[in-house]
Amino acid sequence: TVRCATSATRSAGASTCATTRSASRPAGRHSRGSSPAAAPTPRDRLLAYLTNSFVPPIADPELLATWLAFWALTKTDAQIAALHGEIYRDYRADLESLLAACQPGDHRLTAVALTALVDGLWLELSLGDAPFSREEAGMLVEKWLDALLVQAG
């Protein structure tokens, strides 16, 4: 576990760190969307895991502001940078496990690609006035997932 702040002078960073860590936890990520664990098939669990980023409380302008501050701090605060690495490593590892349950193989790059897709769609939805709906974002993820699994197989 990464310790987020070591002094009172980092209180803004500590607050951002605590909020970001909380929002990145699986329980926080899935608190309003469908639970991946409840999905009947490995593919359904994977889709639920990916598309829960598109519903509140994750797709939220206030949470976006926290992530923007967090990302900005990764360039100036080594502890925040380490936390960023930890969050993304854990997210990709979860994706790799879910992908392997769908189709055996090495899914490192597939997890990277899906993470980039979800991050981009999440950013547009969180900014507001996206040229697509949450449902369409889910459809895009499903199409990419199917294409990537075929290529990896």
Side-chain angles (χ1 to χ4, degrees):
T1 301
V2 176
R3 210 169 116 213
C4 297
T6 57
S7 70
T9 60
R10 292 191 178 162
S11 62
S15 175
T16 299
C17 184
T19 301
T20 305
R21 180 182 292 285
S22 173
S24 71
R25 289 188 182 125
R29 200 177 274 139
H30 307 297
S31 61
R32 291 222 181 125
S34 59
S35 171
T41 68
R43 183 177 179 280
D44 290 339
R45 285 189 286 280
L46 176 57
L47 279 172
Y49 188 81
L50 291 165
T51 59
N52 276 332
S53 292
F54 306 144
V55 295
I58 301 303
D60 178 280
E62 289 182 32
L63 186 58
L64 172 62
T66 299
W67 276 104
L68 292 174
F70 176 73
W71 289 328
L73 288 169
T74 64
K75 297 297 181 191
T76 59
D77 187 314
Q79 291 176 326
I80 296 289
L83 177 61
H84 174 263
E86 179 183 310
I87 288 169
Y88 275 85
R89 181 192 66 237
D90 292 350
Y91 185 77
R92 287 189 315 270
D94 288 347
L95 279 179
E96 286 182 53
S97 294
L98 290 164
L99 285 159
C102 293
Q103 176 177 306
D106 179 5
H107 293 288
R108 185 182 65 83
L109 291 177
T110 304
V112 169
L114 288 169
T115 299
L117 174 66
V118 168
D119 282 353
L121 294 170
W122 167 83
L123 179 60
E124 287 295 324
L125 288 169
S126 295
L127 286 169
D129 217 19
F132 54 88
S133 68
R134 296 177 196 285
E135 294 77 21
E136 290 170 321
M139 290 169 37
L140 287 169
V141 167
E142 188 169 11
K143 285 181 181 187
W144 269 51
L145 175 62
D146 290 342
L148 289 168
L149 286 176
V150 166
Q151 289 178 4

